Amino acid sequence: MIRTLVSASALVAALSLSGAAMAQDAAASSTAAPTTTAPAVDPYLWLEEIEGERAMEWVEGQNDRSLGVLQGDPRYQGLYDQALALVEAQDRIPMPGLVRTSAGEVIDNFWQDAEHVRGIWRTTSVDSYLTDAPQWETILDIDALAEAEGKNWVYKGASCLAPDNRRCLVFLSDGGKDAVVTREFDRDTRQFVETGFNLPESKGGATWVDENTLLISQDFGPDTLTDSGYPLTVRRLMRGQAPSEAVELFRGEKADVASSAYTLRDADGVVQAVLIDRSVGFYDAETHLLEGDETRQLPLPSKVQIEALLDGLLVFTTNEDWTAPNGQQFATGDLIAWNLEGLKTAPDTTPLELILRPGEREAIESVSATRNRLVVAMTENVRGGVYSYSRGDDGAWTRQRLALPENVTVGIGSASDLDDRVFVTAANYLTPSTLYLADAASLDLAEAKSLPEKFDAEGLTIQQFEAASKDGTRIPYFVVHREAMPMDGSSPTLLYGYGGFQSSLLPGYSATVGKLWLERGGVYVVANTRGGGEFGPRWHQAALQENRQRAHEDFQAVAEDVIRRGVTSQPHLGIMGGSQGGLFMGAMLTQRPDLINAAVIQVPLFDMLRFHKLLAGASWIAEYGNPDIPEERAWIEEYSPYQRLSAEADYPEVFIHTSTKDDRVHPGHARKAAARMIEQGHEVLFYENTDGGHAAGANLRETARRLALEYTYLTRRLMDEPAQD
């Protein structure tokens, strides 16, 4: 995709009462857990001081206690060893990036293993990549760089200047934060450019216009940041200038999410337009065309996702019903093409072309372009397919389906701008990922790499069911389990959910879930609740703002359904989710603790009356509402987990973890939740990683530790008999 909201990349990544009668009893008594009135003044505000002395002393004490419990469990070390072996394995698929250089097309890859825990950016030829033993050359070694500079560098990617991609901007984060420093790098000499572009740490971004010009969105002081903490200006920086000398070209409003710039280039790397994205809200944006030093707004939908530029056509999706300037009408979720020159010069008379209108149970997951074709990954009832679209001389679009396996999740990888080759992936919960090199024109498909089996899937099966939510909506979910599983409620079951930001939970192969849970007799359940994107924008929008509780009810309905079916029962049902999914876990904990016996609450949102005042939180008002507006505060207060915590409620012991370096979801959410529960007399395990950012892992060893802690906790709660509080 070309346009991604600054904050949306965040949300990124990338993972029960016995019998029907008892489930019916639980449903009949589904009133929310008792609540206590929150103190007029929050006594734990001091835990929002991210690196405050008192707060860090509290964190250290909780870490010592919780690590003592979990790492002291005799099963921890075995789980850690298995997790470390999985994340450091050499036989993972090195995901390819097709890159055109002056010497021809090559494959780039970022790789981490036991010797390169921070990772290396490396390259090889396409022919070499397709062999069993590619000959890699290192472009940049992040471990060596961190050691040489005495920094805790985490690689956040690179942006190279087309068409030869020699000059690159490398983004480096201190400990995994979203904020990065930006440095110019020469991929031919494998050196940073001594007198090149060098931007200080900031959230935001930078994009190439030409080799001597960048458009930057940076922190130039409080008056240049939005309430969400992202840049509100776009500036032109010329080679040789200090960042402070960059000329301001565009300024948004303080209440916006962010402003940023990007270039639309044709297949040969020639700039066809320079666009500025003014993200007014998380889902609403203005698209401005930059011409010289002047900007003007283009008449695109406010809820737009620009996907590709193909043969002079701007390809985009609209997440709202929309009437074009010429009167053509389009529906939410449509994939549309508009002649770029016509859009710029005569939008009122230039016709638009409908490429695709997904059905009710379909969604567009991703769109990419080769030199001549449009490639679209779709889900159809949460199962994937990839289609190649071509445009006839009459402007009509036709499609052909790639012959990928059925009943899998598919993904589009890197696409060539020299021809119509594109990498695609296919996997499901039990089938390891396979990487194919496809030709979008001929539909030829060749297996390039495959992941070997990482756990014993013999005797395991996948089923898809539906649960009826409180309002009657059918909520699909997947269950991965032993075919011979007894339906007596005795199976330890982990229910995973997210339910927000139009993020889809699709069947994928997880070596860690398989090895650390399924292989040991656990059942894995994934809920496709409203708020996600499994059925397109409307599925997401059904749980926005005042309707957020619908998503919580969907998740609770899935929990009730697996109990009703006898898959599991309350003593053996645990839940897991992170970020927005952490809010999901908090809502389940405070509304239906009677359904669960464990909760892994990862880097969560929890205090929803203050989320908009903490770090990037203001950018999510479009998702949740604004607590400063009384009517909206009332919706939020109904489910905000922090305010609903009660000393009288019967909560299971929970495991909450977060990261000090997370500059997206404030660690104060997790800290305050744990502190208040402890004060109320509940059992809480709390762990805070002092590095790692929102992804909670600056290196592979920390990732392995987090996984081992989680599955040790789940083993104690759900597999041991009985679980001890």
Side-chain angles (χ1 to χ4, degrees):
M1 296 182 196
I2 292 176
R3 174 186 176 270
T4 302
L5 290 177
V6 175
S7 51
S9 65
L11 300 160
V12 165
L15 327 38
S16 293
L17 307 170
S18 175
M22 297 184 77
Q24 291 169 355
D25 289 344
S29 60
S30 61
T31 55
T35 62
T36 55
T37 303
V41 177
D42 185 350
Y44 295 110
L45 282 177
W46 54 275
L47 284 170
E48 294 180 3
E49 298 175 19
I50 294 177
E51 297 192 83
E53 183 177 353
R54 184 184 178 192
M56 292 309 296
E57 286 179 359
W58 181 88
V59 166
E60 183 178 354
Q62 294 301 318
N63 280 356
D64 288 347
R65 184 180 64 84
S66 299
L67 290 177
V69 171
L70 294 175
Q71 291 182 329
D73 188 290
R75 292 159 294 197
Y76 170 83
Q77 190 60 46
L79 289 167
Y80 174 82
D81 293 342
Q82 289 179 321
L84 187 62
L86 290 170
V87 299
E88 291 185 342
Q90 296 282 346
D91 57 2
R92 291 171 287 132
I93 296 176
M95 296 309 294
L98 283 163
V99 179
R100 190 201 302 199
T101 70
S102 58
E105 198 168 49
V106 299
I107 297 286
D108 278 10
N109 167 255
F110 183 71
W111 183 257
Q112 293 173 286
D113 59 25
E115 294 182 7
H116 307 96
V117 294
R118 297 178 186 275
I120 52 174
W121 173 18
R122 59 186 187 171
T123 190
T124 190
S125 69
V126 176
D127 288 342
S128 176
Y129 178 80
L130 295 174
T131 67
D132 292 336
Q135 301 300 302
W136 294 101
E137 297 178 17
T138 297
I139 297 174
L140 180 62
D141 185 326
I142 306 301
D143 295 87
L145 179 69
E147 182 177 1
E149 298 185 350
K151 294 284 191 178
N152 187 17
W153 288 135
V154 174
Y155 180 70
K156 290 286 189 174
S159 172
C160 299
L161 177 62
D164 65 1
N165 293 293
R166 174 176 178 172
R167 294 185 178 274
C168 302
L169 299 174
V170 172
F171 307 109
L172 298 169
S173 163
D174 176 12
K177 295 183 290 187
D178 285 351
V180 296
V181 298
T182 304
R183 295 186 190 172
E184 185 177 357
F185 185 82
D186 188 318
R187 63 172 290 141
D188 286 358
T189 64
R190 313 287 202 255
Q191 298 290 327
F192 286 103
V193 180
E194 187 172 345
T195 58
F197 291 112
N198 195 335
L199 304 178
E201 182 179 79
S202 174
K203 292 185 179 181
T207 190
W208 291 100
V209 178
D210 56 47
E211 67 176 279
N212 294 312
T213 312
L214 299 181
L215 293 179
I216 62 174
S217 301
Q218 294 279 297
D219 179 355
F220 289 98
D223 68 330
T224 68
L225 296 178
T226 66
D227 293 337
S228 301
Y230 294 104
L232 60 81
T233 68
V234 174
R235 305 185 183 208
R236 180 188 293 119
L237 179 65
M238 305 298 295
R239 187 172 297 281
Q241 288 183 321
S244 60
E245 298 175 298
V247 175
E248 183 175 314
L249 302 172
F250 183 86
R251 177 177 286 260
E253 300 292 336
K254 191 76 171 171
D256 293 350
V257 172
S259 293
S260 59
Y262 55 102
T263 57
L264 292 177
R265 298 177 185 269
D266 64 21
D268 294 315
V270 178
V271 176
Q272 300 300 308
V274 179
L275 301 181
I276 291 175
D277 180 285
R278 179 192 171 201
S279 296
V280 180
F282 198 85
Y283 304 109
D284 297 275
E286 295 174 356
T287 305
H288 295 257
L289 178 68
L290 176 64
E291 298 173 304
D293 290 347
E294 301 298 320
T295 63
R296 58 185 174 90
Q297 186 176 348
L298 294 175
L300 287 162
S302 63
K303 292 180 172 63
V304 67
Q305 179 74 49
I306 294 177
E307 307 285 6
L309 181 66
L310 178 67
D311 195 25
L313 296 170
L314 185 69
V315 178
F316 62 94
T317 50
T318 175
N319 286 347
E320 61 183 345
D321 293 345
W322 175 65
T323 301
N326 66 359
Q328 287 179 268
Q329 294 185 334
F330 296 93
T332 300
D334 283 354
L335 182 64
I336 305 164
W338 201 348
N339 179 276
L340 180 60
E341 281 306 308
L343 167 61
K344 292 193 293 185
T345 61
D348 293 346
T349 57
T350 302
L352 292 81
E353 300 167 6
L354 177 64
I355 302 171
L356 168 64
R357 176 165 293 166
E360 184 179 351
R361 303 291 276 186
E362 294 181 330
I364 297 170
E365 283 300 321
S366 61
V367 179
S368 187
T370 63
R371 189 171 187 87
N372 305 297
R373 296 288 178 118
L374 200 65
V375 185
V376 180
M378 298 278 296
T379 57
E380 297 146 333
N381 201 28
V382 205
R383 292 173 169 86
V386 174
Y387 294 89
S388 173
Y389 281 79
S390 59
R391 182 179 182 273
D393 294 337
D394 60 355
W397 291 81
T398 58
R399 73 179 188 178
Q400 295 170 290
R401 186 180 177 116
L402 294 183
L404 292 165
E406 299 292 328
N407 299 318
V408 294
T409 294
V410 297
I412 302 173
S414 182
S416 176
D417 53 19
L418 294 175
D419 53 35
D420 293 310
R421 291 169 302 152
V422 59
F423 284 102
V424 295
T425 59
N428 64 30
Y429 295 118
L430 302 179
T431 304
S433 300
T434 299
L435 176 72
Y436 299 89
L437 182 57
D439 188 306
S442 69
L443 303 185
D444 288 344
L445 196 67
E447 184 176 316
K449 306 280 181 187
S450 62
L451 182 72
E453 292 185 354
K454 292 294 184 178
F455 60 91
D456 182 6
E458 183 69 27
L460 290 171
T461 190
I462 305 167
Q463 289 183 282
Q464 187 181 32
F465 298 109
E466 289 186 345
S469 193
K470 185 176 181 180
D471 65 0
T473 301
R474 306 300 297 181
I475 308 302
Y477 67 93
F478 288 98
V479 182
V480 189
H481 63 90
R482 297 274 166 198
E483 291 184 83
M485 175 182 67
M487 301 299 285
D488 61 0
S490 63
S491 297
T493 298
L494 177 60
L495 169 59
Y496 188 87
Y498 185 77
F501 296 97
Q502 203 173 322
S503 180
S504 302
L505 294 183
L506 305 177
Y509 191 80
S510 170
T512 52
V513 170
K515 192 71 178 177
L516 306 183
W517 189 247
L518 292 172
E519 192 177 278
R520 299 170 59 236
V523 176
Y524 187 56
V525 180
V526 178
N528 300 120
T529 67
R530 285 173 289 185
E534 288 86 350
F535 299 132
R538 295 187 190 279
W539 191 247
H540 166 236
Q541 292 162 9
L544 281 179
Q545 298 201 4
E546 68 268 31
N547 295 318
R548 171 60 44 180
Q549 178 62 14
R550 288 178 178 171
H552 303 152
E553 291 166 355
D554 293 352
F555 193 64
Q556 293 161 18
V558 172
E560 290 177 325
D561 207 58
V562 293
I563 293 173
R564 180 185 63 80
R565 293 178 186 273
V567 171
T568 192
S569 56
Q570 181 274 334
H572 300 289
L573 178 59
I575 57 174
M576 177 188 285
S579 192
Q580 148 62 32
L583 170 60
F584 242 36
M585 302 308 107
M588 174 70 93
L589 179 72
T590 54
Q591 294 179 29
R592 294 302 308 274
D594 58 298
L595 294 175
I596 60 172
N597 195 36
V600 178
I601 304 175
Q602 307 160 317
V603 290
L605 286 161
F606 225 85
D607 183 352
M608 297 304 292
L609 298 187
R610 283 184 53 76
F611 81 91
H612 61 315
K613 299 181 183 296
L614 302 173
L615 296 176
S619 65
W620 310 322
I621 285 174
E623 182 81 8
Y624 301 117
N626 187 344
D628 291 338
I629 298 173
E631 178 188 1
E632 299 183 14
R633 183 184 180 90
W635 319 325
I636 299 167
E637 202 162 19
E638 283 296 309
Y639 68 78
S640 179
Y642 185 59
Q643 283 72 32
R644 291 182 64 92
L645 288 170
S646 168
E648 288 75 40
D650 186 13
Y651 302 139
E653 176 193 71
V654 299
F655 178 34
I656 303 173
H657 66 76
T658 188
S659 171
T660 309
K661 294 291 188 181
D662 189 344
D663 55 352
R664 192 180 312 164
V665 174
H666 197 293
H669 285 281
R671 293 173 180 178
K672 295 198 304 177
R676 190 155 191 234
M677 290 186 73
I678 291 168
E679 172 211 332
Q680 292 173 343
H682 302 297
E683 294 296 322
V684 179
L685 295 171
F686 176 90
Y687 171 65
E688 183 168 320
N689 173 21
T690 55
D691 285 324
H694 193 54
N699 62 66
L700 295 179
R701 295 188 186 102
E702 177 57 39
T703 298
R705 175 158 72 167
R706 174 182 58 80
L707 289 165
L709 293 173
E710 290 175 341
Y711 285 98
T712 299
Y713 162 79
L714 290 168
T715 300
R716 291 164 59 89
R717 297 297 306 173
L718 307 179
M719 290 183 170
D720 289 354
E721 292 284 359
Q724 297 296 318
D725 285 333

